[in-house]
Amino acid sequence: MTTDTIIDVAVPVAVFVMMFALGLGLTVADFRSSLKRPKALFLGVASQVFLVPVVGFLFVSAQQQDAELALGIVLLTLCPGAAMSNLLTRIAGGDVALSVSLTAVSNILSAATLPALSLLAAGHFLGTDALGVEFGDLTLRVVAVVTVPVLLGLAIRHLVPRVVEPHEPAIFRICFAVFIAIIGWSFMEVADTLQSGLILIGWQLALLTFLLLGLGLAVGQVGGLSEPQRTTIAVETGVQNSGLGLAAGAMLWGDTAGFPLFSTPSVVYGALTYAMTFPVVILLSRAWQRV
């Protein structure tokens, strides 16, 4: 299968499937639980939507790296974590209802923030005329792979709850397995890009991830949140959606031949994220157990 097919078909399908599973797992009880603690919800959304992209932009600006790779890292910071952040929150002993609500809200908001901020970043790093992608076209593509599946999952759960609820855990596991299989296979197909990317920017992405995890903990601490809520904010701030970042990079790349350089950071991040975040999550889990 060609690189174009992987980028244009396989990756968007994987993101759609995972977003659908996210929507299907949302419940009214999760939102009600989070709305009872609006400060935690507000701080979490603010961290994901504003803090993470700003820190990412400042980070790559300080590093003075290649413009395409810098743009790719900023694109990654515009892609809030999906089901993986919910899973990591559960392992770390965080507030799962808050995590699910944050993931849903931030991903729905990304239909506006991702196109707008990615084009602004492209104009900054590459020049205003460097891309032939229109804002409206980019927005429609993001809505198609992020917003539509989330809302579709929500609608199906609302319409047929008795059918969905008993089988939701199994459906989630199937969707997650499909997502991992497609993304993992895609990464293997671009192994050369992954290898060179690890050498070029692997350490930078690792440093940025640990920085964001720390900032997330700090936001929760300053905000006076409980330990589970601080853990949730840290995970949601530090974990990004590499699949969506890969798809977004391809959207900006347009019809240009070859693998989209804007997607390289997301490929590298996808390969590193488990090795970087799981140790932190396990340490947090053990720390809260001792308290």
Side-chain angles (χ1 to χ4, degrees), residues 6 19 25 28 41-42 45 73 95 101 119 124 142 144 182 191 203 207 221 229 231 239 244 255 263 265:
I6 293 171
M19 292 297 105
V28 175
L41 186 63
F42 172 78
V45 172
I73 292 177
D95 187 328
S101 298
L119 289 177
H124 173 79
V142 173
I182 294 177
W203 69 271
L207 179 59
Q221 183 72 36
Q229 290 172 341
T231 298
V239 176
L244 180 57
D255 297 328
S263 297

Side-chain angles (χ1 to χ4, degrees), residues 26 33 41 43 54 60 111 136 161 184 197 200-201 203 229 252 274 287-288:
L26 291 172
S33 176
L41 186 63
L43 288 175
V54 169
V60 297
L200 286 173
I201 57 173
W203 69 271
Q229 290 172 341
L252 285 181
Y274 304 111
W288 299 150

Side-chain angles (χ1 to χ4, degrees), residues 13-14 25 41 92 112 136 154 156-157 172 189 217 220 241 246 269 273:
V13 167
L41 186 63
L154 276 168
I156 292 176
R157 179 154 192 156
F172 174 83
E189 290 293 319
L217 278 175
N241 188 340
L246 178 54
Y269 178 85
T273 184

Side-chain angles (χ1 to χ4, degrees), residues 77-124:
T77 65
L78 296 174
C79 301
M84 177 53 66
S85 62
N86 304 153
L87 175 62
L88 291 172
T89 296
R90 185 183 299 276
I91 294 172
D95 187 328
V96 178
L98 175 61
S99 176
V100 171
S101 298
L102 284 173
T103 303
V105 172
S106 60
N107 275 282
I108 291 173
L109 289 176
S110 70
T113 58
L114 178 54
L117 296 180
S118 62
L119 289 177
L120 283 175
H124 173 79

Side-chain angles (χ1 to χ4, degrees), residues 15-28 30-31 82-83 86 100 103-104 107-108 146-158 164 168 171-172 175:
V15 174
F16 186 99
V17 167
M18 203 65 255
M19 292 297 105
F20 173 76
L22 173 65
L24 202 66
L26 291 172
T27 65
V28 175
D30 289 332
F31 280 111
N86 304 153
V100 171
T103 303
N107 275 282
I108 291 173
V146 178
T147 309
V148 168
V150 171
L151 296 179
L152 180 62
L154 276 168
I156 292 176
R157 179 154 192 156
H158 176 72
V164 172
E168 188 272 329
I171 295 173
F172 174 83
C175 290

Side-chain angles (χ1 to χ4, degrees), residues 1 19 30 46 53 57 130 154 171 179 184 219 227 232 235 237-238 253 278-280:
M1 187 172 287
M19 292 297 105
D30 289 332
F57 175 80
L154 276 168
I171 295 173
F179 174 80
V219 167
E227 291 166 358
T232 301
V235 173
T237 301
W253 192 249
F278 266 109
V280 175

Side-chain angles (χ1 to χ4, degrees), residues 188-262:
M188 288 189 291
E189 290 293 319
V190 294
D192 291 341
T193 299
L194 175 59
Q195 182 178 4
S196 59
L198 282 169
I199 297 171
L200 286 173
I201 57 173
W203 69 271
Q204 294 173 353
L205 289 172
L207 179 59
L208 179 60
T209 298
F210 292 130
L211 174 62
L212 290 174
L213 286 168
L215 286 174
L217 278 175
V219 167
Q221 183 72 36
V222 172
L225 302 181
S226 66
E227 291 166 358
Q229 290 172 341
R230 293 202 301 268
T231 298
T232 301
I233 300 298
V235 173
E236 293 291 339
T237 301
V239 176
Q240 312 307 316
N241 188 340
S242 60
L244 180 57
L246 178 54
M251 292 175 192
L252 285 181
W253 192 249
D255 297 328
T256 306
F259 183 84
L261 291 177
F262 309 148

